[in-house]
Amino acid sequence: MVADTKSHLEVFLENRSALVSYAARLLGSRDQAEDIVQDAFLRLKPQDGVDYAPRQTLAYLYSIVRNLAFDQLKRRNVETRGREIDPPFWILPQDPGTPEETVLFADQARVALEALDGLPPDTRRAIELYRIEGWTPEAIAAELGISVATAHRMIRSGMVKIALSLDRASH
């Protein structure tokens, strides 16, 4: 066959790996790139009675691959919009660990809860707001009617007391 009379299939087969590499660079996934290139070939429809030069066919294939890849990226962005935030740890499946680890964890939780119960009510509330509910020290200070520095001190001293209780219990 003469170079100028190659069929669309021949042009596609000769340049398939280059098209896949091009799509993979755009998408970041070789598997998705394979699918895009296959779709591009299926969309390549020759006009009745019109024969394009292989370079025109190849340029058209690259254009189809680029457009399909951009469409895929747009779809991916729309589908993942709003999911950028990591879910809370308690939603994720947890490794149950060994029975010994479970007992040790339960014992540590009990010691921490006893230490938390032994704190003054405002300090306990500050720690609960900070560690459990995720409030900032500024918000805690406003809630409890104290200064930000006092909120910091309460959180720090309460956490130190809990840590010391856990340390004592482990020895």
Side-chain angles (χ1 to χ4, degrees):
M1 273 191 153
V2 179
D4 285 341
T5 60
K6 288 184 181 177
S7 72
H8 293 309
L9 178 61
E10 290 172 317
V11 171
F12 172 76
L13 292 175
E14 287 176 5
N15 295 285
R16 185 180 177 286
S17 64
L19 287 164
V20 169
S21 294
Y22 174 67
R25 282 193 310 274
L26 293 173
L27 294 167
S29 165
R30 192 147 186 94
D31 290 337
Q32 289 178 346
E34 296 273 352
D35 293 340
I36 292 291
V37 169
Q38 192 66 35
D39 286 346
F41 177 71
L42 294 174
R43 290 177 187 226
L44 181 66
K45 297 177 187 167
Q47 298 276 337
D48 291 332
V50 178
D51 254 346
Y52 293 107
R55 282 183 26 204
Q56 289 176 312
T57 301
L58 184 58
Y60 187 47
L61 273 169
Y62 270 100
S63 176
I64 294 171
V65 166
R66 184 191 71 237
N67 291 340
L68 289 173
F70 287 159
D71 288 347
Q72 174 104 7
L73 290 171
K74 285 179 197 172
R75 234 184 344 271
R76 190 185 309 162
N77 285 339
V78 167
E79 290 171 358
T80 59
R81 191 175 296 150
R83 286 194 239 160
E84 297 88 31
I85 300 169
D86 289 334
F89 76 93
W90 46 267
I91 287 180
L92 300 174
Q94 301 294 317
D95 178 23
T98 64
E100 292 82 12
E101 290 171 334
T102 303
V103 168
L104 181 61
F105 178 75
D107 189 47
Q108 289 174 337
R110 181 190 52 76
V111 169
L113 185 57
E114 287 173 359
L116 189 61
D117 284 341
L119 296 174
D122 280 350
T123 303
R124 177 189 168 116
R125 183 72 180 135
I127 290 173
E128 288 172 343
L129 291 173
Y130 183 73
R131 297 292 294 190
I132 298 170
E133 297 185 33
W135 287 29
T136 64
E138 291 79 11
I140 294 167
E143 173 76 13
L144 298 177
I146 57 176
S147 71
V148 175
T150 301
H152 276 285
R153 255 191 320 279
M154 290 170 78
I155 294 166
R156 186 180 61 241
S157 69
M159 293 304 296
V160 166
K161 288 178 183 176
I162 292 170
L164 290 172
S165 296
L166 287 168
D167 192 48
R168 277 192 301 267
S170 68
H171 287 31

